[in-house]
Amino acid sequence: MVDDGQTGEVVDTPPERKSRKLPVIAVSTVLLLALGIGGYLWQSRQSVPAGTGKSTPKVAEAELYLPLDPAFVVNFRDAESLRYLQVGVTLMSHDPAAIEVAKAADPVIRDALVALFSNQDFTIIGDAAGRQKLQGEALAAVRKIVRARLGRPGIDALYFTSFVMQ
């Protein structure tokens, strides 16, 4: 008996298609890698400051403090009697190199501040305006010393953490 469902004919089946997934994945990976490298290089060029080619010093975002311990105690003469002044001083900077220079120059800074504090008049530094003026003069003296060693002022502020006159 002859099977009705089967004929002796050979039917050509279409050849199997090769998968295109592998080349698409490879091209996508290479493209993403190239974009990533290009983005990194572009970003790094944007962060370099334009200028003379000199690198700028790295400055910390955080405030750095250097207390000058112990507190300064100086005598000065008033018209009436001998007086003394005790001042606690703390330096502030955003530049770690300036703090290191100030630490290394501590004896020089202390000498300049002792000379400055001992030459004050009691009636002038007895009010707030006189203390602010003295604070500005002390900051200028410290900046001068740091600038001589570092090439830039470096110290952003000088604070009186205690101020006692008697």
Side-chain angles (χ1 to χ4, degrees), residues 10-161:
V10 176
V11 179
D12 287 333
T13 59
E16 289 185 25
R17 295 177 64 184
K18 292 184 179 178
S19 175
R20 292 190 176 180
K21 289 181 182 178
L22 185 61
V24 169
I25 291 173
V27 168
S28 299
T29 303
V30 169
L31 183 62
L32 283 174
L33 185 62
L35 285 173
I37 291 171
Y40 172 78
L41 292 174
W42 180 76
Q43 185 67 24
S44 66
R45 284 185 179 247
Q46 294 297 325
S47 66
V48 173
T52 61
K54 294 181 183 177
S55 63
T56 57
K58 295 192 179 208
V59 177
E61 295 291 327
E63 296 172 342
L64 304 169
Y65 295 96
L66 175 64
L68 300 180
D69 289 327
F72 294 86
V73 179
V74 296
N75 294 318
F76 60 98
R77 189 166 285 289
D78 186 24
E80 301 169 5
S81 64
L82 188 63
R83 304 257 184 187
Y84 85 91
L85 171 67
Q86 179 183 0
V87 182
V89 176
T90 298
L91 305 177
M92 189 276 293
S93 178
H94 291 92
D95 186 355
I99 292 294
E100 291 303 316
V101 166
K103 282 180 187 177
D106 184 63
V108 178
I109 291 173
R110 292 186 72 79
D111 178 61
L113 293 179
V114 166
L116 177 67
F117 295 151
S118 63
N119 287 324
Q120 298 303 308
D121 184 56
F122 179 77
T123 57
I124 294 175
I125 61 173
D127 66 352
R131 282 191 294 273
Q132 287 178 346
K133 181 179 179 235
L134 178 61
Q135 189 175 12
E137 291 172 354
L139 177 59
V142 171
R143 282 181 171 171
K144 181 180 177 183
I145 294 166
V146 172
R147 179 179 294 149
R149 287 168 168 69
L150 187 62
R152 59 184 183 273
I155 303 299
D156 298 325
L158 180 140
Y159 299 106
F160 290 156
T161 54

